[in-house]
Every structure is written in C-alpha cells, then in structure tokens.
Amino acid sequence: MPIARVNGVALHYELSGSGEPIVLVHGSWDDASSWRRVGPALSRSHRVLVYDRRGHTRSERPEGPGSLGEDAADLAALLVILDLAPAHVAANSLGGTIALRLAGEQPALFRSLTVHEPPLFALLERDPEALALTKRARAGMAAVVERLEAGDDEAGARLFVDDLTFGPGSWAGMSAGLRGMFVANAPTFLDESRDPEQLAIDLSPLRAFDRPVLLTHGSESKPHLVKPLDHVAQALPHARRLAFGGAGHVPHATHPDDYVSALTGFLTTGGRKPESGR
C-alpha cells in the first residue's frame, strides 16, 4: 500500500477502480483489510479508497493522546491530497462517528454518506427508554479498558468481541490472523477510549448536511449498537434506513454481497452529488 503523510502522520492507503470515488472508513481494532470482501466489487464501478486509520496496523502510531478530531482531519486531508473530494463515504462503527463528525464540519467533501452502527452511546443518556442500554454498554467498555490498562491486550480484545459486540464464542471463531490484528491494535483502542468525545457527537451541525445519507444496522446486532441511529436520524430527517437481515456489526465482512448491493443501489438511486448546495 502507498503512504500518504497527512497532519504529520504516515497513513497507508490503497486506491483501485475508476469512476466516482468511494472512501471506506474502518472502525476500531481493525484496518483497511476489513473491506477486502467488498472492495473488488465496488471498484468495478467506482474509484475505491481504503486506508488504515492512524495507529492501526500499517499506519503510524504517534506518541501522546489521540482524538476523533484528528481522525476526521486525516480523512479530510486524504480526500484533498488524493483529489477525491467530493466523495461517497461509507463508514463502519467508530469510523461512522468520524465520518459523521466530518460531515458536520466539511459537508462539501461529501457526495453521500453511509454509516453503519456508530457507537454513540452518549446519545442514549438523554433517552429514558434507552438508559439501561447505555449503562450496560459503558460498563462493558469500562471492563475492556480495565484489561487493556492492566496490559492484557488479548483479554481486552476478547471481551470486546464476545461481550460487547458480536456475542459469546465469536473470539474463538475468528482466524488467528484476525485475532492477532485485534491484539496489535489494542493500544490504539485504549487511546481512543481516553478521548472524551469517543462515544459522543454534537448532532446540530448535521442538520444542515444536504447530501444523501444511508443509515444501516444489522438485524442481529446488539441493541446498544442500533439505538443511537434513531437519534442520528432525527438530525438527518431525509436519511434512508436499512437493516441487513441476518447480519451484525460488520456486514461488509460477513454479508459482502448484501453490503455491495445495498451500497451501490443507494448510490445509483439516491447517492449522487446534488446539483446545488456545494
């Protein structure tokens, strides 16, 4: 993968295909390889960018505390440096939080936005019906962080996978390579967890976002990963909603054909750049 130096950090990226640009933004613990099952299909009709976010796998891990603001600035810089803006942006998990933040700050960089299950647990704290969900989610996060701070990266990764995200036994069912990637990126997850904005977002800037938006979740996902989308949708009243049947938190990895079909269908019918409003 080539290297782009943005905001003082070396980021590994890969470009493929031709056509309108799509940027795929991964979540925590993993890297650009999480998109490998959908990238080739998407590149038949689009110019596809995947990259390792700062601190993940092949990208540089800078010293000191990081922030989601830095990740949003990295995404913006890549779009400009690689001459991809405005681009369709499709993001998963914490990558979705980063993309939503940038959409509120710099909407002109976007043709459209697709977000799957951003872990915006702080939004649930203002929702009496979902308060129990956020308490459980925060308790689960605290337990993961406790193990990482104790230096047991594998135990923290396993707890995140089995208890907080995918369900019991999921860690054992992963390949050795995937488990190794989670463990290697554990220090970055710990750093992300120290950002007070990791689980929160100011939705008010998104009310002015006039690009097409698709908000997705998996039918088998845990409720605390799905419910925040209701609040995001309130800020984006024209956003489309879609559930991936039988899928969970990473449909692009587990149900790649469904993901490609949904994304390309959205881009074909509703995700083109508006004629005005840039």
Side-chain angles (χ1 to χ4, degrees):
M1 296 175 73
I3 296 174
R5 181 159 288 275
V6 301
N7 302 318
V9 177
L11 302 181
H12 283 255
Y13 72 92
E14 182 176 351
L15 277 167
S16 61
S18 61
E20 290 185 348
I22 297 179
V23 182
L24 305 175
V25 188
H26 68 81
S28 298
W29 302 94
D30 60 4
D31 59 30
S33 68
S34 68
W35 301 102
R36 65 184 180 278
R37 300 191 69 190
V38 300
L42 291 173
S43 66
R44 296 188 192 114
S45 55
H46 291 81
R47 184 73 163 153
V48 178
L49 169 68
V50 295
Y51 70 103
D52 292 353
R53 292 195 293 109
R54 62 168 60 209
H56 292 82
T57 311
R58 292 150 293 194
S59 287
E60 187 178 355
R61 181 177 295 154
E63 297 284 342
S67 69
L68 266 64
E70 291 175 335
D71 276 291
D74 290 347
L75 175 56
L78 279 175
L79 290 172
V80 173
I81 290 171
L82 299 177
D83 195 25
L84 297 176
H88 301 292
V89 177
N92 180 255
S93 192
L94 193 67
T97 303
I98 293 162
L100 285 166
R101 178 170 180 150
L102 183 60
E105 295 173 350
Q106 300 189 57
L109 295 177
F110 290 75
R111 292 175 184 263
S112 71
L113 174 61
T114 299
V115 171
H116 186 83
E117 297 182 5
L120 292 167
F121 305 150
L123 297 179
L124 304 182
E125 294 172 350
R126 300 191 296 270
D127 183 347
E129 295 182 0
L131 192 56
L133 289 178
T134 191
K135 286 182 177 179
R136 286 196 294 271
R138 285 193 177 277
M141 287 285 289
V144 171
V145 169
E146 181 180 9
R147 284 159 176 77
L148 297 181
E149 288 180 334
D152 196 340
D153 290 347
E154 182 173 348
R158 183 173 62 249
L159 187 65
F160 178 86
V161 168
D162 283 351
D163 291 5
L164 196 60
T165 310
F166 301 111
S170 297
W171 179 259
M174 287 181 169
S175 68
L178 186 56
R179 291 197 300 268
M181 179 180 67
F182 267 64
V183 173
N185 289 327
T188 297
F189 180 83
L190 179 59
D191 184 57
E192 290 171 343
S193 73
R194 292 167 174 160
D195 180 356
E197 297 184 350
Q198 182 204 23
L199 306 178
I201 192 171
D202 179 7
L203 292 175
S204 56
L206 287 171
R207 301 186 190 282
F209 187 75
D210 63 352
R211 273 58 176 166
V213 178
L214 178 64
L215 304 176
T216 69
H217 69 274
S219 67
E220 305 307 304
S221 292
K222 291 180 178 293
H224 65 264
L225 294 171
V226 178
K227 187 65 175 174
L229 285 174
D230 294 342
H231 297 269
V232 175
Q234 289 176 12
L236 295 162
H238 302 296
R240 300 184 189 183
R241 299 289 298 270
L242 183 147
F244 288 103
H249 194 51
V250 285
H252 55 283
T254 61
H255 294 69
D257 292 342
D258 292 343
Y259 188 87
V260 170
S261 177
L263 182 56
T264 55
F266 166 63
L267 299 184
T268 298
T269 60
R272 296 197 174 276
K273 183 177 67 174
E275 294 298 324
S276 62
R278 280 195 60 185

